[in-house]
Amino acid sequence: MFLQVLGHVLITSDLWQAALQFAALLLLPALGGVISERSGVVNIAMEGMMLIGAYAGVMVAVATHNILLGVLGAMIAGGLLALVHAIVSINFMANQTVSGIAINIAALGLTNFLLPIQTNGQGITALDSSLRLPQAALGPLAHIPFIGPVLFQQNILFYVVVLIVILLHFLLFRTNIGLRIRAVGEHPQAADTAGVNVRLVRYLCVVSSGLLSGLAGAFLSLGIAGIFNQDMTAGQGYIALAAMIFGKYTPFGAAGACIVFGLGEALSPRLQDTGISANLLSTLPYLLTLVALVGLVGRTMAPAADGVPYEPAAE
Amino acid sequence: MAMPTVQRRTSTPASRLTRWMHTLKSSLGRPLIAVLVAFILGMIIVMIASPGALGDRFNTAVSAYYNLVMGSFGNIQSISYTLAKTTPLIFTGLAVALAYRAGLFNIGAAGQLAVGAMVAGIIGLKLGSLPGVILVPMMLVASMLAGAFWGSIVGILKAWRGAHEVVTSIMLNWIAFYVCAALVEGPFQAPGLSQQTTPLSASATLPSLANLYNQTLGTIFGQIPLAAQYTVDVSLLLAFVALVVYWFLTSRTTFGYSLRVIGQNPKAARYAGISVKRNLVLAMALAGAFAGLAGATRLMGQSPYQLISSGFSSDSTGFDAIGVALLGRTTAIGVILSALLFGGLQQAGPFLQLNVGVPGDLIYILQALVLFAVAVEYVPSFQRFLPPFMRRTKPVLAPPLVPNLIKSEALLEHASGSSTAGPPEATLTDNSVGATDAPTPATSQED
């Protein structure tokens, strides 16, 4: 019974389309995490940055009647929150985990605090379709059976995410900049000696993680949901964190992890009838990540200087 | 530099008093500054967000804080509510604090709390016909065991696989939330309802303090009128027991001493013959037991006495605990005080909306600001921004957190003046920061 339903569900293009959409949504903050942690700053605040991005995206889009400004606003909001994380953890050498938790609490508090004030207690109604990120079919490619709907009839941000992941991989592993980022994350003293500005690199990386997470927030509120709800990220930032680790701190690894986790998320509502609890299915990403951490499927190692504040010796 | 270490060894009552005053000042001063900074920033946020002229905005902010105070400690009834909210924060605060002593960052208190509540709930529902004298202790012990089990997974993964505890405990949190939700919506679902269990039978619940008093001492000394309005239950007393146990463990036993050594310097601990792995697992198990109790006591002591499937992941107690433990500098007294602060905030939040028109979620912003302020304030780099008279130049006369065996080494270090990190607090937030395998405190601030 279960296998029958599963087999039937697995060959529907509808499932894979949804899975890839979830994957793209998770991948943005996961990539943000990759770039931040590669530079040596622990970032567990993607959840909060995503939430504030989702909120700012909707508010700006509604206020300006411009979807592009909305997306931009979402990224800036995420980036600003990340900037707080950067200042606190790089300059003030605060515990980065504490700062991350504080950001997550602050984002939840801020959005819940501002929502009734900015909407006079009304909350936000569903967005007009002109203010939503559209689905975009890529010309003739979209008509290929199965592959067409799965890969080429996605939300417009999906294609952006695909571009970003390729670019980020190239940036991290094929360019000078990427080498510097990784050097700062692995051995900041050595990087410093070689003339790399450790703090600047870390600042840029942490803020980028905020921009990416903010973009994910816009994807969620302006793209997928078309509305902002309180606490609408509901732990997706943490799944992204899991994806980052499961993907061994690499862009493509994170992408693979996100596809697996996205498939899980897309499957659970479709398997309701089989009696498999959606709740139990939701534990899958976390279980897989634990297994990866324990080293049963290849050990996951964080960058060597991840989470260690760096203070130049000269000071 | 050598002077303080010499003074420390003479133990006249006067010197003891000065030392005590120093400790008090150093342990109270900075958290107070953190809270003050957070509240001033919160005030600015309220003033930005509220309408009207500058004077009106200021008045709104002032009356918001007035309502926070009155709503939490304004009268006996609200104090009782505040204490009811404080109790789980004490338990989870201890769960975070104990792990922190060993250099572990337990952000898994939320998950440990969830499994504790779940297991207590299962026993309460399945064996509800047993008399309370047997049932209640059974539920409490079971919740401790469940929490300890969940916590020790983190410790085991850390000790034997080097998996970072922050990451594993986040994963275990969500696994706990979903598994508990699946249990509530599955085998333990109340008939006719989809997302909750049936309420516990009366024998499985904890009485409120007021009712307990009325039934016992009250029969002699006179009854408390309208006892039903005082909701704080006997788990507050359990929380005090837990605090004493925590204090005793951490400051009067070898185990507590070993934990601190491990937290300060795992290598030194290993050289001193302390089993790091065993102690890490034990610390996480005990931490989990505290958090498990938080789940059980709230389920058993507070209305609605039932488990709700969405309640596990939306419960912020496990995360608030981090603020409680850090603000309380992982001491028993500190945990009480900061749990009262956080509990009071949570109790008073709704009054903001009601009386001032400021959304009650302001309290979460305040909590986050407190966390930021706490995370920042220990760090020596921050001292550069302080005026000279506020900087701590001389090492405080607190005992060094090193084992007896290597005490002489530490004394040498003190004497040569190479150690700038005299006070134990200085290393609290520096170590155990990130994904390094072993927390190495105070390395970055030395040179």
Side-chain angles (χ1 to χ4, degrees):
Chain A
M1 166 67 182
F2 170 70
L3 285 180
Q4 238 174 351
V5 175
L6 184 69
H8 183 69
V9 165
L10 274 178
I11 52 167
T12 56
S13 60
D14 167 56
L15 169 84
W16 289 95
Q17 193 187 18
L20 286 188
Q21 189 178 44
F22 277 129
L25 174 68
L26 294 174
L27 186 50
L28 279 170
L31 292 178
V34 168
I35 192 166
S36 171
E37 308 237 356
R38 277 285 175 175
S39 79
V41 179
V42 166
N43 191 348
I44 61 166
M46 280 90 83
E47 171 89 0
M49 298 170 190
M50 233 174 127
L51 185 63
I52 203 113
Y55 177 77
V58 169
M59 291 316 271
V60 175
V62 168
T64 60
H65 299 288
N66 188 328
I67 180 76
L68 270 182
L69 284 180
V71 173
L72 203 66
M75 292 178 71
I76 291 174
L80 282 178
L81 212 51
L83 187 66
V84 174
H85 184 53
I87 293 172
V88 168
S89 51
I90 298 170
N91 274 2
F92 290 95
M93 305 205 299
N95 185 313
Q96 293 161 13
T97 305
V98 179
S99 166
I101 292 165
I103 282 181
N104 287 338
I105 297 176
L108 186 60
L110 262 180
T111 50
N112 286 352
F113 177 76
L114 291 176
L115 186 65
I117 291 180
Q118 297 195 323
T119 60
N120 292 320
Q122 305 293 309
I124 287 174
T125 47
L127 289 174
D128 194 62
S129 64
S130 65
L131 286 181
R132 292 187 57 173
L133 289 164
Q135 301 289 116
L138 286 193
L141 288 173
H143 299 301
I144 306 171
F146 191 77
I147 297 175
V150 171
L151 285 179
F152 304 112
Q153 287 183 30
Q154 288 278 4
N155 193 289
I156 194 157
L157 271 186
F158 174 84
Y159 311 109
V160 177
V161 175
V162 173
L163 269 182
I164 291 177
V165 71
I166 294 168
L167 282 179
L168 190 64
H169 174 82
F170 186 76
L171 177 87
L172 271 180
F173 298 107
R174 292 282 180 278
T175 66
N176 234 326
I177 303 171
L179 187 64
R180 286 176 187 201
I181 293 174
R182 286 182 291 136
V184 164
E186 294 288 345
H187 203 312
Q189 284 81 5
D192 196 7
T193 315
V196 180
N197 187 337
V198 174
R199 287 187 171 175
L200 181 70
V201 169
R202 287 188 170 175
Y203 257 94
L204 291 177
C205 288
V206 174
V207 170
S208 319
S209 81
L211 295 177
L212 288 172
S213 305
L215 185 62
F219 194 176
L220 186 63
S221 63
L222 294 172
I224 297 170
I227 194 168
F228 178 84
N229 294 318
Q230 292 198 341
D231 196 16
M232 75 182 300
T233 45
Q236 304 200 56
Y238 291 111
I239 304 185
L241 181 78
M244 169 193 84
I245 299 160
F246 194 53
K248 301 187 177 173
Y249 302 88
T250 63
F252 286 154
C258 284
I259 292 173
V260 174
F261 297 174
L263 187 63
E265 257 188 83
L267 267 177
S268 62
R270 290 171 174 80
L271 293 178
Q272 285 296 40
D273 305 337
T274 62
I276 294 282
S277 155
N279 281 318
L280 287 184
L281 212 54
S282 303
T283 60
L284 192 72
Y286 306 110
L287 276 175
L288 283 175
T289 306
L290 271 188
V291 170
L293 278 169
V294 175
L296 294 184
V297 238
R299 190 81 167 273
T300 296
M301 291 293 282
D306 204 7
V308 185
Y310 178 68
E311 195 174 23
E315 281 192 10
Chain B
M1 289 297 271
M3 278 308 284
T5 53
V6 175
Q7 277 178 11
R8 193 188 317 121
R9 303 169 91 187
T10 65
S11 189
T12 63
S15 76
R16 230 182 278 158
L17 186 71
T18 11
R19 197 198 315 161
W20 190 77
M21 294 287 285
H22 269 287
T23 327
L24 191 74
K25 208 181 88 189
S26 69
S27 55
L28 262 183
R30 304 251 167 152
L32 280 180
I33 292 174
V35 172
L36 201 69
V37 167
F39 276 50
I40 291 171
L41 289 176
M43 192 161 182
I44 294 171
I45 289 175
V46 174
M47 286 174 69
I48 292 172
S50 58
L54 191 65
D56 296 338
R57 288 165 187 249
F58 184 73
N59 284 341
T60 312
V62 170
S63 79
Y65 282 113
Y66 176 76
N67 271 278
L68 278 183
V69 176
M70 294 314 283
S72 51
F73 296 99
N75 55 47
I76 298 186
Q77 194 187 355
S78 47
I79 290 176
S80 155
Y81 278 116
T82 296
L83 288 176
K85 294 220 158 58
T86 303
T87 310
L89 286 173
I90 293 178
F91 284 121
T92 48
L94 291 179
V96 176
L98 186 69
Y100 213 124
R101 288 284 173 114
L104 289 176
F105 215 113
N106 180 18
I107 62 175
Q112 294 146 17
L113 181 151
V115 293
M118 191 67 226
V119 169
I122 290 175
I123 292 179
L125 288 170
K126 286 283 163 197
L127 307 173
S129 51
L130 288 177
V133 210
I134 304 170
L135 188 56
V136 167
M138 230 167 103
M139 289 166 76
L140 292 177
V141 170
S143 75
M144 286 170 73
L145 290 178
F149 168 69
W150 210 249
S152 62
I153 298 177
V154 176
I156 289 169
L157 292 182
K158 170 85 180 184
W160 275 278
R161 300 302 303 181
H164 195 255
E165 76 278 4
V166 166
V167 177
T168 51
S169 47
I170 289 176
M171 303 302 137
L172 283 166
N173 275 348
W174 286 92
I175 294 172
F177 299 155
Y178 283 120
V179 169
C180 291
L183 286 171
V184 169
E185 289 175 10
F188 299 98
Q189 202 175 36
L193 297 166
S194 61
Q195 302 209 320
Q196 59 224 65
T197 64
T198 42
L200 295 173
S201 64
S203 63
T205 59
L206 295 168
S208 79
L209 278 178
N211 276 336
L212 184 73
Y213 171 85
N214 276 356
Q215 281 156 21
T216 53
L217 292 174
T219 51
I220 309 165
F221 299 110
Q223 299 275 308
I224 299 176
L226 297 171
Q229 62 175 322
Y230 305 117
T231 55
V232 60
D233 56 285
V234 291
S235 46
L236 181 67
L237 302 181
L238 287 176
F240 282 122
V241 174
L243 280 162
V244 173
V245 169
Y246 174 81
W247 168 81
F248 185 79
L249 269 181
T250 49
S251 55
R252 288 290 178 276
T253 64
T254 351
F255 170 65
Y257 207 52
S258 319
L259 283 194
R260 281 192 288 173
V261 181
I262 293 169
Q264 297 280 304
N265 190 343
K267 247 181 214 160
R270 223 166 292 142
Y271 289 137
I274 295 168
S275 166
V276 176
K277 290 180 177 179
R278 202 183 64 107
N279 278 303
L280 284 185
V281 176
L282 207 55
M284 279 310 299
L286 278 169
F290 281 132
L293 266 181
T297 53
R298 192 172 42 193
L299 169 70
M300 297 158 69
Q302 294 293 318
S303 155
Y305 304 106
Q306 67 188 162
L307 293 163
I308 299 166
S309 64
S310 61
F312 298 109
S313 62
S314 64
D315 179 12
S316 68
T317 313
F319 294 101
D320 302 337
I322 294 155
V324 170
L326 295 187
L327 188 65
R329 316 202 100 175
T330 73
T331 65
I333 299 283
V335 166
I336 298 185
L337 292 177
S338 42
L340 275 173
L341 174 75
F342 279 50
L345 281 176
Q346 286 173 9
Q347 163 57 22
F351 287 92
L352 289 179
Q353 184 71 61
L354 216 61
N355 298 345
V356 202
V358 172
D361 287 282
L362 176 69
I363 63 149
Y364 291 103
I365 301 178
L366 287 176
Q367 286 189 11
L369 289 171
V370 168
L371 261 184
F372 276 128
V374 165
V376 163
E377 56 108 25
Y378 297 122
V379 177
S381 72
F382 186 59
Q383 292 204 351
R384 272 178 294 182
F385 297 88
L386 292 175
F389 68 91
M390 286 172 81
R391 287 181 205 161
R392 184 186 295 168
T393 45
K394 276 180 284 183
V396 169
L397 307 180
L401 298 178
V402 283
N404 286 321
L405 289 171
I406 56 169
K407 201 171 198 172
S408 51
E409 247 175 85
L411 287 177
L412 277 175
E413 259 182 35
H414 267 277
S416 65
S418 69
S419 169
T420 52
E425 301 89 338
T427 45
L428 268 182
T429 40
D430 288 346
N431 61 16
S432 78
V433 173
T436 44
D437 186 12
T440 41
T443 43
S444 54
Q445 60 189 23
E446 292 292 341
D447 7 83

